[in-house]
Amino acid sequence: MKKLFLMKQNYIYIFFLAISSVAFSQTKSVSGTINDAFGQPLPGVNILMKGTSIGTTSDMDGKYIISNLETGEYTLEVSYVGFKTFLKSINLQGSDISLDVVLREDVMSLDDVVITGVANPRSKIESSVSVTTLKPQLIEQSSPRSTSEIFRTIPGIRTESSGGDGNTNISVRGVPISAGGSKYLQLQEDGLPVLLYGDIAFATSDIFLRADQNVARIEAIRGGSASTLSSNSPAGIINFISKTGEVEGGGISTSFGLDYNSFKTDFDYGTPIGDGVAFHVGGFFRQGEGVRDAGYLANKGGQIKLNLTKRFENGYARVYYKFLNDRTAAYMPMPIKVTGTNSNPNWGNIEGFDATTGTQHSPYLTQNNGLDSNGNRRNADVADGMHPISNAIGAEFSFNLENDWKIDNKSRIAFNKGRFIAPFTAAVGTVNDMVAGIAAYNGYDATGATVTNTVTGNVFNNPNGLAQRIMMFDTELENFNNFVNDFKITKKFDKVSLTAGYFTANQNIQMSWLWNVHLTEVNGVDAAPLDVTLADGTKITENGQASYGAAEWGNCCTQKYNASYNINAPYAAITIDANKNLTLDASLRYDNVKVNGSSIGGTQSANLDVNNNGTIEPIEMNVSVVDNANSNPINYDYDYVSYSIGGNYKLNDETAVFARYSSGASGKADRAFTFGQPMTSLGNPKDILDQAELGYKRKFDNAGLFITGFYGKTTEEAGFEATTQNVEKNDYKSIGVEIEGSIKINNFDVRGAVTYTNAEITGTVDGSNIGNTPRRQPDFIYSLIPTYSFGENGNHVIGASIIGNTKSYAQNNNDLVMPGYAYVNMFGKVTITKGLSLSLNVNNLFDTIGITESEEGSIVEGQTNYVRARSISGRSSSLTFAYTF
């Protein structure tokens, strides 16, 4: 019995010993709340035990907890985009730790990790590239009315955002705008190009790109390793990075124009849904006339995007989808009055046509009749404007493997098509001169002709006495499908990181040009088409339409082509952490491009009964048709090698300097052939860009500074420009400096950027213009965005953005000056109650005329001239109600 009692005592002792052991070895936790300097909770903050994979993110109330931590010493690392990284040593021993953290804003985002155009993501202070990060708040404060207007605050980048929501000309650091679009700069969504070429005629990348509430941030890299980390991007990359929903939240907003017809609803929502899975969905819908009064719904459509992310212990996988179907007006160069001299011109409004609000669009010019590329009757709706339709499906993954290996892959297939149709002023002048031109190219004498307003039925009596011949740029974007895949594998050693990658892509370009000529009065609102009746009673127009085809330009522009571009590009990169302060990197890329297809065009014309009334009328006696029986093959290939070498040296934790030299190229797409001619008609299909950079970056407690000096040399081969009917082939060099800075003092925040560029033409085909400044290249471009926060927790904001540039030249001959200008945008936001706000945006407050391009390179001095040019749009105001949750 005693033995049994002793055994029971032993079992009880063992039981309590086990309980005691568990109690003394149980795990601990760290918890708390993350707030900003105003006491507002920050959701989605990354909290990590540095040097481990243990971590979490804060919830909507800024709260976090990391459980199941073994006792010992740790370093808590708290990081969030736009804020300085917080580090704290903690010692977990006897009890749990409660630690609240206040994050301080990083005004220049120099602690943000750069993922665009680099082989190994690093913070800005540690990267040897010039990069700007735009977050939704900063984008909102610059009051953009289109996607392209977002870019105007990026240093080193000049964006001619006067053409509407798309068809934007973009230049970087003096690298020229050779024909249009963004030839040397690539626009990306989530690290992959929207289109493989940025300057496709009438299908520039920004037409297929929309900024909405899906955007988490935009990264813009100028120069640097962009040459080697993507194709056709030697001047830089602008990357739209999407939200992923890993922190629950969303919002909905409704905007409407106060002084113009526009209505738009944006929305987004994302949340974790358990087991490491999160989703995000968002988009917009809109309709309205736009900032220039078209007389009809010129803007109509929307976009929806969604993604699904699965997080694993060693990485993530994501799938996503985008559907875009949007119509926006395309604003072409329009009639503007110029007096004075070429060196000191006065640009102003024509009576009845305001340069900042007028447009050639009209409710009386909504149809473009003619034949399609197969000779069938066709009627195009001018209200379609820029009409992209895109269905894109993508996937990406990133995993850290054993022994410091890492693999990344991004893949996307996009089914793209649409239309581009816009009225372009081919000629402007007195009504008699315009009628004489129409009669002449149809073989008639205009003496004694009668011109009738087709709306009123009366004889033409416009007070300004002017008319314009409209070239209707009407193109069918039939197949712009593309597939892109970018795979890379990285191995990290002690101080060395090696990356090998393979980029493969295919881009289709299938397009038909079906241009016609129209005659209208010069009137900025509701312009009427004009009909012409000769002295003998012969009517040579039909409701203002003067020809079926581009008779104005010798029936040059009726054509179709179908080309496929296949790119294969292996690349490699090395990063060396020479010591704790010095980082060296180098990268190499080889692009091999094969192109095949066919091009059909020329000047074939015929007498055809287009309107099917049984009579061949004068307008039907010279119908331009596609000669489908005779096509020219497109069959060529080209290759090039790109490289980049750079280094970054941290003088201390707040200051760094960097240097880099890069060489890259941008290939030509459809601008390498023209009007049915074989590719060989224009020569080498690639242009080379060599660049050098030297930079300084510094972060302060409440400020930041980024200074980069740059040099660029462009060797450019021939490229066709539709609006001038010219083949451009020039060489250039540029040298300059870009400065970006920000300072925050209590509730005041001022951000600004200025770029000085000294650019020069160094070579041309005929030796002319050498030593001149490239067209549309000002010496200085600048932006300044002051804001002031007030009220409880700074939840009310008022601010402005000032955008400007100095004078530039209309064309390479450097005769006609386009004056410098600056315009002011205002922004105000009031928080009504938690989550609900009201915002007022005023763009171009003082209704400034700002000329961004001119088709004419000179004027006749001492008299009134009428040129074709584009100005920035005038004052427009919008109101937005937004609710975030």
Side-chain angles (χ1 to χ4, degrees):
M1 190 73 175
K2 183 177 180 181
K3 184 176 181 181
L4 179 61
F5 176 75
L6 290 174
M7 289 179 62
K8 287 181 178 181
Q9 278 188 318
N10 289 338
Y11 283 131
I12 293 171
Y13 174 76
I14 293 171
F15 173 75
F16 279 106
L17 183 64
I19 293 295
S20 176
S21 175
V22 170
F24 282 106
S25 65
Q26 71 183 50
T27 56
K28 308 298 179 182
S29 68
V30 179
S31 62
T33 303
I34 313 294
N35 293 318
D36 64 14
F38 293 105
Q40 293 293 300
L42 293 174
V45 176
N46 296 308
I47 303 102
L48 182 70
M49 293 304 178
K50 191 173 182 180
T52 75
S53 60
I54 303 170
T56 186
T57 58
S58 59
D59 63 18
M60 287 296 293
D61 296 317
K63 298 184 181 302
Y64 74 95
I65 182 169
I66 303 177
S67 304
N68 301 321
L69 291 169
E70 299 291 340
T71 57
E73 293 185 354
Y74 297 89
T75 297
L76 185 74
E77 182 181 63
V78 183
S79 61
Y80 192 49
V81 172
F83 290 82
K84 295 180 180 178
T85 299
F86 174 88
L87 296 172
K88 177 73 173 179
S89 297
I90 57 176
N91 190 348
L92 279 171
Q93 295 297 334
S95 61
D96 298 336
I97 289 179
S98 177
L99 178 62
D100 295 336
V101 176
V102 175
L103 289 183
R104 303 294 176 183
E105 186 177 359
D106 180 8
V107 294
M108 285 289 290
S109 303
L110 290 176
D111 281 337
D112 286 1
V113 174
V114 181
I115 64 173
T116 302
V118 294
N120 295 289
R122 289 175 177 266
S123 68
K124 288 185 188 178
I125 198 72
E126 298 174 322
S127 299
S128 55
V129 294
S130 296
V131 58
T132 296
T133 303
L134 300 178
K135 297 167 197 149
Q137 180 182 1
L138 185 58
I139 293 171
E140 186 179 35
Q141 290 172 355
S142 67
S143 303
R145 292 168 297 190
S146 65
T147 300
S148 60
E149 286 189 349
I150 295 172
F151 308 152
R152 59 193 178 184
T153 60
I154 302 172
I157 292 181
R158 180 173 184 262
T159 172
E160 296 177 0
S161 52
S162 54
D165 205 348
N167 195 40
T168 306
N169 298 324
I170 307 174
S171 63
V172 184
R173 292 177 170 174
V175 177
I177 299 175
S178 1
S182 55
K183 176 175 179 57
Y184 300 94
L185 176 79
Q186 189 183 90
L187 301 183
Q188 293 185 347
E189 280 188 296
D190 295 313
L192 294 177
V194 176
L195 297 178
L196 285 182
Y197 298 90
D199 65 337
I200 302 171
F202 307 106
T204 54
S205 295
D206 62 327
I207 291 178
F208 288 89
L209 179 65
R210 296 289 184 270
D212 57 19
Q213 289 185 188
N214 290 290
V215 175
R217 69 185 188 277
I218 297 172
E219 288 185 352
I221 284 185
R222 286 88 65 197
S225 52
S227 294
T228 55
L229 272 298
S230 194
S231 298
N232 302 316
S233 58
I237 297 171
I238 299 178
N239 184 18
F240 286 63
I241 301 170
S242 301
K243 298 176 182 177
T244 58
E246 293 176 76
V247 176
E248 183 179 12
I252 185 167
S253 66
T254 297
S255 303
F256 53 90
L258 296 178
D259 49 11
Y260 66 104
N261 182 354
S262 176
F263 185 89
K264 183 182 180 185
T265 295
D266 287 84
F267 69 95
D268 82 294
Y269 177 69
T271 184
I273 53 179
D275 196 25
V277 178
F279 82 92
H280 186 270
V281 61
F284 73 89
F285 308 98
R286 67 170 164 190
Q287 69 174 30
E289 291 187 36
V291 293
R292 295 178 181 266
D293 188 1
Y296 53 81
L297 293 179
N299 298 343
K300 185 178 181 180
Q303 172 177 271
I304 188 166
K305 296 174 66 176
L306 56 92
N307 59 59
L308 186 70
T309 302
K310 168 65 176 176
R311 287 284 175 183
F312 303 90
E313 289 185 1
N314 63 332
Y316 73 91
R318 179 176 299 130
V319 294
Y320 58 88
Y321 171 72
K322 164 184 148 179
F323 175 67
L324 170 66
N325 188 339
D326 195 26
R327 294 173 175 84
T328 61
Y331 304 123
M332 294 286 103
M334 55 195 69
I336 293 180
K337 182 173 68 175
V338 186
T339 58
T341 64
N342 281 292
S343 61
N344 187 26
N346 298 309
W347 295 73
N349 300 317
I350 296 173
E351 182 182 1
F353 200 112
D354 190 305
T356 62
T357 61
T359 177
Q360 304 98 319
H361 296 82
S362 168
Y364 306 114
L365 183 60
T366 59
Q367 305 297 316
N368 190 44
N369 300 310
L371 303 177
D372 66 17
S373 60
N374 294 317
N376 301 312
R377 293 178 64 199
R378 168 185 178 273
N379 183 28
D381 188 351
V382 180
D384 279 347
M386 292 178 284
H387 182 197
I389 302 174
S390 179
N391 282 275
I393 303 170
E396 62 179 90
F397 63 79
S398 176
F399 289 102
N400 295 309
L401 307 180
E402 294 181 352
N403 301 317
D404 291 322
W405 287 90
K406 183 181 180 181
I407 58 171
D408 297 90
N409 194 81
K410 297 178 184 290
S411 184
R412 187 191 63 224
I413 185 168
F415 302 94
N416 301 318
K417 62 179 181 179
R419 174 180 288 171
F420 182 105
I421 182 168
F424 171 83
T425 301
V428 58
T430 66
V431 67
N432 289 335
D433 287 344
M434 295 301 100
V435 169
I438 287 176
Y441 62 64
N442 284 310
Y444 296 106
D445 182 359
T447 304
T450 301
V451 182
T452 305
N453 182 310
T454 63
V455 177
T456 65
N458 299 324
V459 174
F460 173 82
N461 63 351
N462 190 321
N464 59 36
L466 301 177
Q468 57 186 332
R469 295 199 294 266
I470 295 290
M471 183 69 70
M472 189 63 72
F473 286 168
D474 186 353
T475 59
E476 296 287 351
L477 313 181
E478 295 158 348
N479 181 348
F480 279 72
N481 300 348
N482 61 42
F483 170 77
V484 186
N485 194 90
D486 192 0
F487 172 82
K488 63 182 179 182
I489 185 167
T490 300
K491 168 64 175 175
K492 290 186 177 180
F493 300 93
D494 183 25
K495 293 185 177 182
V496 177
S497 179
L498 297 174
T499 298
Y502 197 91
F503 178 92
T504 184
N506 170 264
Q507 176 71 60
N508 291 327
I509 301 179
Q510 182 177 337
M511 182 190 301
S512 295
W513 294 25
L514 305 166
W515 300 5
N516 295 326
V517 177
H518 298 255
L519 179 68
T520 75
E521 63 177 346
V522 173
N523 193 331
V525 180
D526 299 346
L530 303 176
D531 270 339
V532 180
T533 303
L534 301 180
D536 63 1
T538 301
K539 186 179 179 183
I540 63 172
T541 59
E542 185 174 324
N543 196 32
Q545 187 162 336
S547 69
Y548 294 114
E552 174 79 14
W553 291 339
N555 279 339
C556 64
C557 311
T558 301
Q559 64 169 333
K560 68 178 181 180
Y561 46 87
N562 182 10
S564 177
Y565 299 78
N566 295 283
I567 298 177
N568 289 282
Y571 60 92
I574 182 172
T575 302
I576 303 172
D577 294 316
N579 55 49
K580 67 177 184 178
N581 295 324
L582 177 63
T583 301
L584 303 173
D585 67 89
S587 49
L588 184 69
R589 183 185 187 92
Y590 170 70
D591 279 79
N592 181 269
V593 186
K594 297 185 181 298
V595 187
N596 59 77
S598 62
S599 176
I600 308 170
T603 58
Q604 185 183 26
S605 60
N607 294 339
L608 294 173
D609 184 13
V610 178
N611 60 18
N612 203 30
N613 66 355
T615 303
I616 301 295
E617 298 170 342
I619 192 177
E620 299 171 323
M621 292 179 181
N622 188 22
V623 178
S624 181
V625 297
V626 175
D627 185 9
N628 286 291
N630 294 288
S631 66
N632 285 289
I634 300 172
N635 188 7
Y636 64 95
D637 57 77
Y638 64 94
D639 57 18
Y640 58 90
V641 174
S642 305
Y643 61 89
S644 185
I645 304 171
N648 188 85
Y649 186 77
K650 288 181 64 177
L651 301 174
N652 50 54
D653 288 340
E654 289 77 34
T655 311
V657 293
F658 71 93
R660 178 172 293 278
Y661 187 85
S662 305
S663 178
S666 182
K668 288 180 170 61
D670 59 335
R671 296 188 189 273
F673 52 86
T674 174
F675 301 144
Q677 300 301 312
M679 178 269 149
T680 53
S681 64
L682 292 188
N684 199 323
K686 64 178 182 290
D687 303 316
I688 306 299
L689 176 61
D690 297 309
Q691 302 171 89
E693 301 168 78
L694 183 64
Y696 170 86
K697 43 201 166 183
R698 172 74 187 273
K699 59 180 179 178
F700 306 88
D701 287 340
N702 60 346
L705 183 65
F706 213 137
I707 304 174
T708 305
F710 59 84
Y711 167 81
K713 183 180 73 172
T714 307
T715 305
E716 189 172 86
E717 298 297 335
F720 179 73
E721 182 179 42
T723 55
T724 62
Q725 302 291 289
N726 291 330
V727 175
E728 298 290 338
K729 184 178 181 180
N730 302 309
D731 295 336
Y732 308 84
K733 71 175 181 180
S734 63
I735 187 170
V737 60
E738 59 187 33
I739 304 173
E740 181 180 12
S742 181
I743 185 170
K744 186 176 180 67
I745 303 175
N746 296 324
N747 291 352
F748 284 98
D749 185 303
V750 180
R751 299 169 184 266
V754 59
T755 303
Y756 167 74
T757 305
N758 184 348
E760 179 183 346
I761 300 171
T762 58
T764 62
V765 175
D766 59 5
S768 63
N769 301 326
I770 291 179
N772 286 356
T773 301
R775 62 177 181 169
R776 296 165 16 206
Q777 177 59 59
D779 288 343
F780 288 92
I781 58 174
Y782 54 89
S783 67
L784 184 68
I785 307 177
T787 61
Y788 175 69
S789 303
F790 59 99
E792 183 181 0
N793 297 323
N795 54 4
H796 308 314
V797 182
I798 187 170
S801 63
I802 304 164
I803 315 293
N805 58 255
T806 55
K807 74 172 186 178
S808 59
Y809 293 105
Q811 296 294 339
N812 289 339
N813 59 11
N814 286 187
D815 285 345
L816 180 59
V817 168
M818 300 192 302
Y821 61 89
Y823 59 102
V824 178
N825 311 307
M826 297 297 296
F827 166 81
K829 180 179 181 180
V830 175
T831 300
I832 301 171
T833 186
K834 184 178 180 180
L836 181 63
S837 65
L838 175 65
S839 301
L840 173 67
N841 287 73
V842 183
N843 206 291
N844 196 357
L845 177 65
F846 301 108
D847 206 28
T848 300
I849 292 178
I851 305 301
T852 62
E853 66 175 279
S854 170
E855 299 302 308
E856 280 72 30
S858 63
I859 60 171
V860 178
E861 298 183 347
Q863 70 178 45
T864 298
N865 298 264
Y866 301 105
V867 304
R868 301 160 300 155
R870 285 202 298 200
S871 168
I872 60 174
S873 295
R875 180 173 50 248
S876 61
S877 306
S878 63
L879 201 64
T880 301
F881 285 92
Y883 178 64
T884 58
F885 51 88

